[in-house]
Structure formats: C-alpha cells, structure tokens
Amino acid sequence: MSAAASMVASPQLKSVRARGRRSGPMRTESEVRSFVVVTDEPEAVGGTDTAPTPMELIAGAVNGCLGVVVETVAGELDLTLQALEISSHAHMDVRGFLGTAEVSPHFRDYLLAITVEIDGDEESHEQLRRLSEKRCPAVNLVRDAGVDLVLEWRFGPGES
Amino acid sequence: MSAAASMVASPQLKSVRARGRRSGPMRTESEVRSFVVVTDEPEAVGGTDTAPTPMELIAGAVNGCLGVVVETVAGELDLTLQALEISSHAHMDVRGFLGTAEVSPHFRDYLLAITVEIDGDEESHEQLRRLSEKRCPAVNLVRDAGVDLVLEWRFGPGES
C-alpha cells in the first residue's frame, strides 16, 4: 500500500481527556492537561454561580472550534483573516432535563452568527464557508445530533 | 386545558448564549453572562496554549453536565451523594478536521467513567443510572451525534 493510500485508510486518532470530580453543589472541576475546567449552575438551580453551566460551556466551545477551523481553512486558501466574531444562541427544552416530557434534553435549535473580516472574493468566501462547516468538529457534533442548526455568515473586507 | 396538561404540551425554553471573538492565533474568548470562556490550541497547532482546546472543553462540560443530573436525580430518589467523579476519554480522527479523509471530524468513541459514593440499594442505583443517562443534555448530545458512547458506572458506599 502506498503512503498516500495508507494515510487515507488509517485513522489518525487524537485523545481527548478530562478528569472531573464534584467540588460543591452542582459544581464540577475537570483536569484537562494543565488546565482546570469548571462548570456550575446559577443559585436558583442549586449551584453557586461561580462558572458557566455545562451547556453554556459547550456553546463557548462551539464558537472556539469554528474559529480554529475558519482560521485554518483561511490559511489554506491564502486569505488573510483580520477579525472574526462567532456567536451562539441556542434553546433547550428544560422538560427533557427535568424528566417531565418526552423531549430531547439538549439543544432544540442553535443559531451560529459568524462575521469574518477577510480579503478575497465571493467565490473564496463561499469555499471558506463550505469547508469550515464540513470540517468543524463541534459544529458537526451539534448538527449530527439532529439539532436544528443555522449558520449565518457575513463577510466583510478587513481594514487595509 | 388543565395546567398540568399545558405543562406537558408546551416547551419550556431556556436560552443559551455565548458571544465570541478571535483574540489571538487559534484563540477565542466568548462572553457567557458574566463569565469569559476561552479556548486555544497547543503551540504545535499554531495556538498559544493558554486554555483547553474546544473539544477538551466539551469533554469537561460533559463531565459537569452529568454531574448536575446525577445530583438532581439522587435528590429526587432521596439518596445522599457523598462524592462523585466523572471522567471523559474520547478519540477523534483528525483527518476529518484536516479534510484528508471522509470521516466524521468529531468524536469517534467516547468513554465516560462515573464513580458515585452514595447510599441506597442496587435497585435505586440502577434507577439513578437510567434516569441520569436519559435526562443529561450533554450525554445525549454526544449519543445522538452517533458517537460510540460507553458509560461505566461504579457505585460504592459513602463514608458514614
């Protein structure tokens, strides 16, 4: 088998680990390499409101993940990224978590608004959009979970 | 329609928001209520390694989300939670992100190891397990995305 063929055939696995323990009411601290990831809940839900909720953290991670992919793909297309804003706005039906109705406990809908300040023409922007949506791990996690996901892209010229 | 019936029929939507912007190479800062969620990449990937990667953050969020649900369900079952450890170990095939093979860019497999120190008998532990897996938003997000997800539960008595 040629090197190229074997590269297509064999997975290149990357390990993702987080070791967590309860550190207070509704609060979890997870060790991730040298970092600590904390989640908590608002006081109304029984937490101490010292950190984002888990699903808020996932929304932040989706922003960051798409950011990495947009920057990577822009580099491949020889585009110069000037600025990037990515915002998530999702809704959950809390009856799933509460166990009071037979509905999905996670995101019911998910809007991603992306503003890219970059050079290049319309065709290269379309390529950037298409490849980024296809290759982003977190975006595809949400999409594959059957969430009603909408991505709104806005491209503008960077400052020259 | 009775109040109870309308509660079953109407979604109770909770909004999840995160407003992000690029704040350095491969780095994103998201505002989530009064918190800031940061993701970055190791230097080998072009980041500055100041924060977990987005998918590591999701792993930490999955730990924390299951923690909230276990604590909530334990309360409903009148069980007394003494300690809780939840760890994630997942693998991604990076060819999906790189665009070098037609594979999913997100988790290929995902192991969750849960150790619960709690009172109660085997039957109540089984109920705790079943209801927590069913009602956890993040666990179901991963499961619904078609990831090969395994949950390993271990129950032990709390310190008396």
Side-chain angles (χ1 to χ4, degrees), chain B residues 77-111:
Chain B
L77 299 175
D78 280 326
L79 299 173
T80 304
L81 191 62
Q82 301 272 3
L84 180 59
E85 291 184 3
I86 301 177
S87 289
S88 289
H89 188 189
H91 293 96
M92 301 165 57
D93 187 334
V94 295
R95 296 174 306 162
F97 162 70
L98 296 171
T100 55
E102 290 294 328
V103 295
S104 167
H106 60 72
F107 301 123
R108 175 190 161 104
D109 55 78
Y110 201 115
L111 174 66

PDB file of all heavy atoms in Angstrom, chain B residues 77-111:
ATOM      1  N   LEU B  77     -34.543  10.837  44.325  1.00  0.00           N
ATOM      2  CA  LEU B  77     -34.648   9.465  44.833  1.00  0.00           C
ATOM      3  C   LEU B  77     -34.332   9.395  46.333  1.00  0.00           C
ATOM      4  O   LEU B  77     -34.244   8.294  46.887  1.00  0.00           O
ATOM      5  CB  LEU B  77     -33.694   8.546  44.053  1.00  0.00           C
ATOM      6  CG  LEU B  77     -33.935   8.419  42.543  1.00  0.00           C
ATOM      7  CD1 LEU B  77     -32.840   7.583  41.885  1.00  0.00           C
ATOM      8  CD2 LEU B  77     -35.299   7.796  42.262  1.00  0.00           C
ATOM      9  N   ASP B  78     -34.156  10.567  46.955  1.00  0.00           N
ATOM     10  CA  ASP B  78     -33.829  10.624  48.399  1.00  0.00           C
ATOM     11  C   ASP B  78     -32.541   9.890  48.727  1.00  0.00           C
ATOM     12  O   ASP B  78     -32.425   9.256  49.781  1.00  0.00           O
ATOM     13  CB  ASP B  78     -34.983  10.061  49.250  1.00  0.00           C
ATOM     14  CG  ASP B  78     -36.093  11.088  49.440  1.00  0.00           C
ATOM     15  OD1 ASP B  78     -35.764  12.296  49.520  1.00  0.00           O
ATOM     16  OD2 ASP B  78     -37.264  10.696  49.484  1.00  0.00           O
ATOM     17  N   LEU B  79     -31.592   9.952  47.810  1.00  0.00           N
ATOM     18  CA  LEU B  79     -30.276   9.368  48.075  1.00  0.00           C
ATOM     19  C   LEU B  79     -29.330  10.495  48.495  1.00  0.00           C
ATOM     20  O   LEU B  79     -29.501  11.651  48.090  1.00  0.00           O
ATOM     21  CB  LEU B  79     -29.727   8.682  46.815  1.00  0.00           C
ATOM     22  CG  LEU B  79     -30.578   7.533  46.264  1.00  0.00           C
ATOM     23  CD1 LEU B  79     -30.027   7.041  44.941  1.00  0.00           C
ATOM     24  CD2 LEU B  79     -30.641   6.390  47.280  1.00  0.00           C
ATOM     25  N   THR B  80     -28.343  10.164  49.301  1.00  0.00           N
ATOM     26  CA  THR B  80     -27.387  11.173  49.766  1.00  0.00           C
ATOM     27  C   THR B  80     -26.039  10.974  49.072  1.00  0.00           C
ATOM     28  O   THR B  80     -25.343   9.988  49.300  1.00  0.00           O
ATOM     29  CB  THR B  80     -27.202  11.075  51.294  1.00  0.00           C
ATOM     30  OG1 THR B  80     -28.473  11.204  51.915  1.00  0.00           O
ATOM     31  CG2 THR B  80     -26.284  12.188  51.797  1.00  0.00           C
ATOM     32  N   LEU B  81     -25.728  11.921  48.194  1.00  0.00           N
ATOM     33  CA  LEU B  81     -24.494  11.864  47.420  1.00  0.00           C
ATOM     34  C   LEU B  81     -23.316  12.301  48.301  1.00  0.00           C
ATOM     35  O   LEU B  81     -23.324  13.388  48.862  1.00  0.00           O
ATOM     36  CB  LEU B  81     -24.641  12.814  46.229  1.00  0.00           C
ATOM     37  CG  LEU B  81     -23.603  12.771  45.114  1.00  0.00           C
ATOM     38  CD1 LEU B  81     -23.593  11.419  44.426  1.00  0.00           C
ATOM     39  CD2 LEU B  81     -23.915  13.873  44.088  1.00  0.00           C
ATOM     40  N   GLN B  82     -22.318  11.444  48.419  1.00  0.00           N
ATOM     41  CA  GLN B  82     -21.139  11.793  49.231  1.00  0.00           C
ATOM     42  C   GLN B  82     -20.008  12.323  48.360  1.00  0.00           C
ATOM     43  O   GLN B  82     -19.294  13.232  48.743  1.00  0.00           O
ATOM     44  CB  GLN B  82     -20.631  10.552  49.985  1.00  0.00           C
ATOM     45  CG  GLN B  82     -21.641   9.930  50.915  1.00  0.00           C
ATOM     46  CD  GLN B  82     -21.603  10.560  52.301  1.00  0.00           C
ATOM     47  OE1 GLN B  82     -20.842  11.506  52.533  1.00  0.00           O
ATOM     48  NE2 GLN B  82     -22.413  10.050  53.197  1.00  0.00           N
ATOM     49  N   ALA B  83     -19.810  11.686  47.215  1.00  0.00           N
ATOM     50  CA  ALA B  83     -18.735  12.122  46.316  1.00  0.00           C
ATOM     51  C   ALA B  83     -19.045  11.613  44.921  1.00  0.00           C
ATOM     52  O   ALA B  83     -19.782  10.630  44.746  1.00  0.00           O
ATOM     53  CB  ALA B  83     -17.389  11.578  46.787  1.00  0.00           C
ATOM     54  N   LEU B  84     -18.493  12.294  43.932  1.00  0.00           N
ATOM     55  CA  LEU B  84     -18.807  11.957  42.547  1.00  0.00           C
ATOM     56  C   LEU B  84     -17.592  12.274  41.674  1.00  0.00           C
ATOM     57  O   LEU B  84     -17.055  13.385  41.733  1.00  0.00           O
ATOM     58  CB  LEU B  84     -20.019  12.791  42.096  1.00  0.00           C
ATOM     59  CG  LEU B  84     -20.547  12.619  40.679  1.00  0.00           C
ATOM     60  CD1 LEU B  84     -20.963  11.173  40.414  1.00  0.00           C
ATOM     61  CD2 LEU B  84     -21.734  13.554  40.453  1.00  0.00           C
ATOM     62  N   GLU B  85     -17.131  11.277  40.937  1.00  0.00           N
ATOM     63  CA  GLU B  85     -16.052  11.504  39.973  1.00  0.00           C
ATOM     64  C   GLU B  85     -16.532  11.086  38.598  1.00  0.00           C
ATOM     65  O   GLU B  85     -17.084   9.991  38.447  1.00  0.00           O
ATOM     66  CB  GLU B  85     -14.803  10.700  40.351  1.00  0.00           C
ATOM     67  CG  GLU B  85     -14.139  11.216  41.624  1.00  0.00           C
ATOM     68  CD  GLU B  85     -12.842  10.480  41.940  1.00  0.00           C
ATOM     69  OE1 GLU B  85     -12.440   9.614  41.128  1.00  0.00           O
ATOM     70  OE2 GLU B  85     -12.250  10.766  42.987  1.00  0.00           O
ATOM     71  N   ILE B  86     -16.340  11.956  37.628  1.00  0.00           N
ATOM     72  CA  ILE B  86     -16.773  11.658  36.263  1.00  0.00           C
ATOM     73  C   ILE B  86     -15.646  12.035  35.311  1.00  0.00           C
ATOM     74  O   ILE B  86     -15.200  13.181  35.299  1.00  0.00           O
ATOM     75  CB  ILE B  86     -18.040  12.456  35.886  1.00  0.00           C
ATOM     76  CG1 ILE B  86     -19.185  12.129  36.866  1.00  0.00           C
ATOM     77  CG2 ILE B  86     -18.455  12.164  34.457  1.00  0.00           C
ATOM     78  CD1 ILE B  86     -20.456  12.915  36.619  1.00  0.00           C
ATOM     79  N   SER B  87     -15.183  11.058  34.548  1.00  0.00           N
ATOM     80  CA  SER B  87     -14.081  11.319  33.630  1.00  0.00           C
ATOM     81  C   SER B  87     -14.431  10.929  32.210  1.00  0.00           C
ATOM     82  O   SER B  87     -15.099   9.926  31.977  1.00  0.00           O
ATOM     83  CB  SER B  87     -12.838  10.545  34.078  1.00  0.00           C
ATOM     84  OG  SER B  87     -12.333  11.133  35.265  1.00  0.00           O
ATOM     85  N   SER B  88     -13.957  11.759  31.286  1.00  0.00           N
ATOM     86  CA  SER B  88     -14.172  11.538  29.863  1.00  0.00           C
ATOM     87  C   SER B  88     -12.869  11.150  29.188  1.00  0.00           C
ATOM     88  O   SER B  88     -11.820  11.745  29.470  1.00  0.00           O
ATOM     89  CB  SER B  88     -14.662  12.836  29.202  1.00  0.00           C
ATOM     90  OG  SER B  88     -15.979  13.139  29.580  1.00  0.00           O
ATOM     91  N   HIS B  89     -12.935  10.151  28.331  1.00  0.00           N
ATOM     92  CA  HIS B  89     -11.789   9.826  27.478  1.00  0.00           C
ATOM     93  C   HIS B  89     -12.330   9.484  26.087  1.00  0.00           C
ATOM     94  O   HIS B  89     -12.982   8.460  25.900  1.00  0.00           O
ATOM     95  CB  HIS B  89     -10.986   8.659  28.060  1.00  0.00           C
ATOM     96  CG  HIS B  89      -9.704   8.427  27.331  1.00  0.00           C
ATOM     97  ND1 HIS B  89      -8.884   7.348  27.538  1.00  0.00           N
ATOM     98  CD2 HIS B  89      -9.101   9.171  26.357  1.00  0.00           C
ATOM     99  CE1 HIS B  89      -7.841   7.409  26.737  1.00  0.00           C
ATOM    100  NE2 HIS B  89      -7.947   8.509  26.018  1.00  0.00           N
ATOM    101  N   ALA B  90     -12.046  10.366  25.148  1.00  0.00           N
ATOM    102  CA  ALA B  90     -12.590  10.216  23.804  1.00  0.00           C
ATOM    103  C   ALA B  90     -11.464  10.228  22.777  1.00  0.00           C
ATOM    104  O   ALA B  90     -10.325  10.593  23.092  1.00  0.00           O
ATOM    105  CB  ALA B  90     -13.571  11.343  23.514  1.00  0.00           C
ATOM    106  N   HIS B  91     -11.793   9.820  21.577  1.00  0.00           N
ATOM    107  CA  HIS B  91     -10.843   9.903  20.466  1.00  0.00           C
ATOM    108  C   HIS B  91     -11.509  10.552  19.265  1.00  0.00           C
ATOM    109  O   HIS B  91     -12.680  10.313  18.992  1.00  0.00           O
ATOM    110  CB  HIS B  91     -10.353   8.507  20.063  1.00  0.00           C
ATOM    111  CG  HIS B  91      -9.514   7.851  21.111  1.00  0.00           C
ATOM    112  ND1 HIS B  91     -10.025   6.961  22.011  1.00  0.00           N
ATOM    113  CD2 HIS B  91      -8.197   7.982  21.409  1.00  0.00           C
ATOM    114  CE1 HIS B  91      -9.057   6.548  22.828  1.00  0.00           C
ATOM    115  NE2 HIS B  91      -7.937   7.153  22.489  1.00  0.00           N
ATOM    116  N   MET B  92     -10.712  11.367  18.572  1.00  0.00           N
ATOM    117  CA  MET B  92     -11.158  11.970  17.319  1.00  0.00           C
ATOM    118  C   MET B  92     -10.226  11.521  16.210  1.00  0.00           C
ATOM    119  O   MET B  92      -9.022  11.404  16.418  1.00  0.00           O
ATOM    120  CB  MET B  92     -11.060  13.498  17.417  1.00  0.00           C
ATOM    121  CG  MET B  92     -11.875  14.095  18.531  1.00  0.00           C
ATOM    122  SD  MET B  92     -11.356  15.814  18.850  1.00  0.00           S
ATOM    123  CE  MET B  92     -11.618  16.517  17.207  1.00  0.00           C
ATOM    124  N   ASP B  93     -10.783  11.316  15.034  1.00  0.00           N
ATOM    125  CA  ASP B  93      -9.957  11.045  13.861  1.00  0.00           C
ATOM    126  C   ASP B  93      -9.654  12.406  13.218  1.00  0.00           C
ATOM    127  O   ASP B  93     -10.533  13.013  12.594  1.00  0.00           O
ATOM    128  CB  ASP B  93     -10.722  10.137  12.890  1.00  0.00           C
ATOM    129  CG  ASP B  93      -9.857   9.667  11.733  1.00  0.00           C
ATOM    130  OD1 ASP B  93      -8.881  10.371  11.393  1.00  0.00           O
ATOM    131  OD2 ASP B  93     -10.167   8.615  11.158  1.00  0.00           O
ATOM    132  N   VAL B  94      -8.426  12.883  13.389  1.00  0.00           N
ATOM    133  CA  VAL B  94      -8.107  14.258  12.982  1.00  0.00           C
ATOM    134  C   VAL B  94      -8.155  14.464  11.466  1.00  0.00           C
ATOM    135  O   VAL B  94      -8.141  15.607  11.004  1.00  0.00           O
ATOM    136  CB  VAL B  94      -6.724  14.716  13.507  1.00  0.00           C
ATOM    137  CG1 VAL B  94      -6.731  14.789  15.026  1.00  0.00           C
ATOM    138  CG2 VAL B  94      -5.605  13.829  13.010  1.00  0.00           C
ATOM    139  N   ARG B  95      -8.248  13.365  10.706  1.00  0.00           N
ATOM    140  CA  ARG B  95      -8.382  13.535   9.255  1.00  0.00           C
ATOM    141  C   ARG B  95      -9.673  14.259   8.882  1.00  0.00           C
ATOM    142  O   ARG B  95      -9.764  14.879   7.825  1.00  0.00           O
ATOM    143  CB  ARG B  95      -8.308  12.177   8.557  1.00  0.00           C
ATOM    144  CG  ARG B  95      -6.938  11.481   8.742  1.00  0.00           C
ATOM    145  CD  ARG B  95      -6.966  10.076   8.162  1.00  0.00           C
ATOM    146  NE  ARG B  95      -8.075   9.317   8.736  1.00  0.00           N
ATOM    147  CZ  ARG B  95      -8.572   8.207   8.208  1.00  0.00           C
ATOM    148  NH1 ARG B  95      -8.084   7.718   7.078  1.00  0.00           N
ATOM    149  NH2 ARG B  95      -9.570   7.576   8.794  1.00  0.00           N
ATOM    150  N   GLY B  96     -10.679  14.179   9.748  1.00  0.00           N
ATOM    151  CA  GLY B  96     -11.928  14.901   9.492  1.00  0.00           C
ATOM    152  C   GLY B  96     -11.712  16.405   9.551  1.00  0.00           C
ATOM    153  O   GLY B  96     -12.143  17.145   8.675  1.00  0.00           O
ATOM    154  N   PHE B  97     -11.022  16.868  10.585  1.00  0.00           N
ATOM    155  CA  PHE B  97     -10.681  18.290  10.714  1.00  0.00           C
ATOM    156  C   PHE B  97      -9.731  18.727   9.597  1.00  0.00           C
ATOM    157  O   PHE B  97      -9.878  19.803   9.002  1.00  0.00           O
ATOM    158  CB  PHE B  97     -10.047  18.550  12.085  1.00  0.00           C
ATOM    159  CG  PHE B  97      -9.290  19.840  12.169  1.00  0.00           C
ATOM    160  CD1 PHE B  97      -9.952  21.054  12.142  1.00  0.00           C
ATOM    161  CD2 PHE B  97      -7.898  19.844  12.244  1.00  0.00           C
ATOM    162  CE1 PHE B  97      -9.249  22.256  12.200  1.00  0.00           C
ATOM    163  CE2 PHE B  97      -7.198  21.038  12.303  1.00  0.00           C
ATOM    164  CZ  PHE B  97      -7.869  22.241  12.277  1.00  0.00           C
ATOM    165  N   LEU B  98      -8.730  17.872   9.313  1.00  0.00           N
ATOM    166  CA  LEU B  98      -7.737  18.232   8.288  1.00  0.00           C
ATOM    167  C   LEU B  98      -8.323  18.195   6.873  1.00  0.00           C
ATOM    168  O   LEU B  98      -7.757  18.777   5.954  1.00  0.00           O
ATOM    169  CB  LEU B  98      -6.535  17.284   8.373  1.00  0.00           C
ATOM    170  CG  LEU B  98      -5.718  17.352   9.672  1.00  0.00           C
ATOM    171  CD1 LEU B  98      -4.694  16.218   9.728  1.00  0.00           C
ATOM    172  CD2 LEU B  98      -5.019  18.709   9.795  1.00  0.00           C
ATOM    173  N   GLY B  99      -9.429  17.489   6.705  1.00  0.00           N
ATOM    174  CA  GLY B  99     -10.034  17.381   5.379  1.00  0.00           C
ATOM    175  C   GLY B  99      -9.322  16.382   4.486  1.00  0.00           C
ATOM    176  O   GLY B  99      -9.444  16.451   3.266  1.00  0.00           O
ATOM    177  N   THR B 100      -8.582  15.436   5.085  1.00  0.00           N
ATOM    178  CA  THR B 100      -7.815  14.474   4.284  1.00  0.00           C
ATOM    179  C   THR B 100      -8.529  13.132   4.127  1.00  0.00           C
ATOM    180  O   THR B 100      -8.022  12.244   3.455  1.00  0.00           O
ATOM    181  CB  THR B 100      -6.429  14.229   4.916  1.00  0.00           C
ATOM    182  OG1 THR B 100      -6.591  13.818   6.280  1.00  0.00           O
ATOM    183  CG2 THR B 100      -5.587  15.503   4.875  1.00  0.00           C
ATOM    184  N   ALA B 101      -9.663  12.952   4.748  1.00  0.00           N
ATOM    185  CA  ALA B 101     -10.438  11.724   4.573  1.00  0.00           C
ATOM    186  C   ALA B 101     -11.901  12.009   4.892  1.00  0.00           C
ATOM    187  O   ALA B 101     -12.222  12.938   5.638  1.00  0.00           O
ATOM    188  CB  ALA B 101      -9.912  10.601   5.476  1.00  0.00           C
ATOM    189  N   GLU B 102     -12.785  11.212   4.304  1.00  0.00           N
ATOM    190  CA  GLU B 102     -14.217  11.420   4.518  1.00  0.00           C
ATOM    191  C   GLU B 102     -14.662  10.723   5.807  1.00  0.00           C
ATOM    192  O   GLU B 102     -15.338   9.698   5.786  1.00  0.00           O
ATOM    193  CB  GLU B 102     -15.010  10.882   3.317  1.00  0.00           C
ATOM    194  CG  GLU B 102     -14.841  11.698   2.047  1.00  0.00           C
ATOM    195  CD  GLU B 102     -15.437  13.109   2.165  1.00  0.00           C
ATOM    196  OE1 GLU B 102     -16.435  13.283   2.874  1.00  0.00           O
ATOM    197  OE2 GLU B 102     -14.864  14.035   1.547  1.00  0.00           O
ATOM    198  N   VAL B 103     -14.226  11.293   6.925  1.00  0.00           N
ATOM    199  CA  VAL B 103     -14.612  10.741   8.221  1.00  0.00           C
ATOM    200  C   VAL B 103     -15.214  11.857   9.059  1.00  0.00           C
ATOM    201  O   VAL B 103     -14.984  13.040   8.794  1.00  0.00           O
ATOM    202  CB  VAL B 103     -13.397  10.142   8.971  1.00  0.00           C
ATOM    203  CG1 VAL B 103     -12.823   8.943   8.223  1.00  0.00           C
ATOM    204  CG2 VAL B 103     -12.322  11.213   9.189  1.00  0.00           C
ATOM    205  N   SER B 104     -15.949  11.492  10.066  1.00  0.00           N
ATOM    206  CA  SER B 104     -16.526  12.489  10.958  1.00  0.00           C
ATOM    207  C   SER B 104     -15.406  13.261  11.652  1.00  0.00           C
ATOM    208  O   SER B 104     -14.439  12.664  12.135  1.00  0.00           O
ATOM    209  CB  SER B 104     -17.397  11.804  12.014  1.00  0.00           C
ATOM    210  OG  SER B 104     -17.708  12.727  13.047  1.00  0.00           O
ATOM    211  N   PRO B 105     -15.520  14.592  11.722  1.00  0.00           N
ATOM    212  CA  PRO B 105     -14.458  15.362  12.385  1.00  0.00           C
ATOM    213  C   PRO B 105     -14.582  15.350  13.912  1.00  0.00           C
ATOM    214  O   PRO B 105     -13.682  15.857  14.582  1.00  0.00           O
ATOM    215  CB  PRO B 105     -14.661  16.776  11.838  1.00  0.00           C
ATOM    216  CG  PRO B 105     -16.110  16.854  11.515  1.00  0.00           C
ATOM    217  CD  PRO B 105     -16.543  15.458  11.115  1.00  0.00           C
ATOM    218  N   HIS B 106     -15.676  14.835  14.454  1.00  0.00           N
ATOM    219  CA  HIS B 106     -15.810  14.892  15.924  1.00  0.00           C
ATOM    220  C   HIS B 106     -15.488  13.552  16.558  1.00  0.00           C
ATOM    221  O   HIS B 106     -14.701  12.766  16.031  1.00  0.00           O
ATOM    222  CB  HIS B 106     -17.154  15.492  16.352  1.00  0.00           C
ATOM    223  CG  HIS B 106     -18.363  14.744  15.887  1.00  0.00           C
ATOM    224  ND1 HIS B 106     -18.728  13.526  16.407  1.00  0.00           N
ATOM    225  CD2 HIS B 106     -19.275  15.054  14.950  1.00  0.00           C
ATOM    226  CE1 HIS B 106     -19.832  13.139  15.822  1.00  0.00           C
ATOM    227  NE2 HIS B 106     -20.184  14.035  14.925  1.00  0.00           N
ATOM    228  N   PHE B 107     -16.056  13.271  17.727  1.00  0.00           N
ATOM    229  CA  PHE B 107     -15.663  12.094  18.492  1.00  0.00           C
ATOM    230  C   PHE B 107     -15.992  10.791  17.748  1.00  0.00           C
ATOM    231  O   PHE B 107     -17.102  10.589  17.286  1.00  0.00           O
ATOM    232  CB  PHE B 107     -16.354  12.080  19.860  1.00  0.00           C
ATOM    233  CG  PHE B 107     -16.058  13.287  20.699  1.00  0.00           C
ATOM    234  CD1 PHE B 107     -17.067  14.096  21.193  1.00  0.00           C
ATOM    235  CD2 PHE B 107     -14.745  13.620  21.013  1.00  0.00           C
ATOM    236  CE1 PHE B 107     -16.791  15.213  21.977  1.00  0.00           C
ATOM    237  CE2 PHE B 107     -14.444  14.726  21.797  1.00  0.00           C
ATOM    238  CZ  PHE B 107     -15.479  15.522  22.279  1.00  0.00           C
ATOM    239  N   ARG B 108     -15.006   9.921  17.713  1.00  0.00           N
ATOM    240  CA  ARG B 108     -15.189   8.601  17.119  1.00  0.00           C
ATOM    241  C   ARG B 108     -15.674   7.627  18.203  1.00  0.00           C
ATOM    242  O   ARG B 108     -16.540   6.800  17.967  1.00  0.00           O
ATOM    243  CB  ARG B 108     -13.810   8.184  16.596  1.00  0.00           C
ATOM    244  CG  ARG B 108     -13.676   6.829  16.031  1.00  0.00           C
ATOM    245  CD  ARG B 108     -12.161   6.601  15.824  1.00  0.00           C
ATOM    246  NE  ARG B 108     -11.829   5.216  15.696  1.00  0.00           N
ATOM    247  CZ  ARG B 108     -11.538   4.613  14.551  1.00  0.00           C
ATOM    248  NH1 ARG B 108     -11.554   5.289  13.428  1.00  0.00           N
ATOM    249  NH2 ARG B 108     -11.234   3.338  14.524  1.00  0.00           N
ATOM    250  N   ASP B 109     -15.132   7.740  19.380  1.00  0.00           N
ATOM    251  CA  ASP B 109     -15.604   6.961  20.515  1.00  0.00           C
ATOM    252  C   ASP B 109     -15.486   7.835  21.759  1.00  0.00           C
ATOM    253  O   ASP B 109     -14.717   8.804  21.768  1.00  0.00           O
ATOM    254  CB  ASP B 109     -14.785   5.664  20.686  1.00  0.00           C
ATOM    255  CG  ASP B 109     -13.306   5.944  20.803  1.00  0.00           C
ATOM    256  OD1 ASP B 109     -12.864   6.351  21.903  1.00  0.00           O
ATOM    257  OD2 ASP B 109     -12.577   5.772  19.809  1.00  0.00           O
ATOM    258  N   TYR B 110     -16.241   7.475  22.794  1.00  0.00           N
ATOM    259  CA  TYR B 110     -16.299   8.317  23.980  1.00  0.00           C
ATOM    260  C   TYR B 110     -16.603   7.432  25.182  1.00  0.00           C
ATOM    261  O   TYR B 110     -17.649   6.804  25.244  1.00  0.00           O
ATOM    262  CB  TYR B 110     -17.404   9.373  23.817  1.00  0.00           C
ATOM    263  CG  TYR B 110     -17.265  10.582  24.712  1.00  0.00           C
ATOM    264  CD1 TYR B 110     -17.024  11.838  24.177  1.00  0.00           C
ATOM    265  CD2 TYR B 110     -17.381  10.469  26.090  1.00  0.00           C
ATOM    266  CE1 TYR B 110     -16.902  12.963  24.985  1.00  0.00           C
ATOM    267  CE2 TYR B 110     -17.245  11.583  26.910  1.00  0.00           C
ATOM    268  CZ  TYR B 110     -17.010  12.827  26.349  1.00  0.00           C
ATOM    269  OH  TYR B 110     -16.886  13.936  27.156  1.00  0.00           O
ATOM    270  N   LEU B 111     -15.654   7.376  26.130  1.00  0.00           N
ATOM    271  CA  LEU B 111     -15.836   6.597  27.352  1.00  0.00           C
ATOM    272  C   LEU B 111     -16.060   7.542  28.525  1.00  0.00           C
ATOM    273  O   LEU B 111     -15.234   8.441  28.765  1.00  0.00           O
ATOM    274  CB  LEU B 111     -14.603   5.728  27.619  1.00  0.00           C
ATOM    275  CG  LEU B 111     -14.603   4.966  28.953  1.00  0.00           C
ATOM    276  CD1 LEU B 111     -15.698   3.909  28.992  1.00  0.00           C
ATOM    277  CD2 LEU B 111     -13.240   4.326  29.185  1.00  0.00           C
TER     278      LEU B 111
END
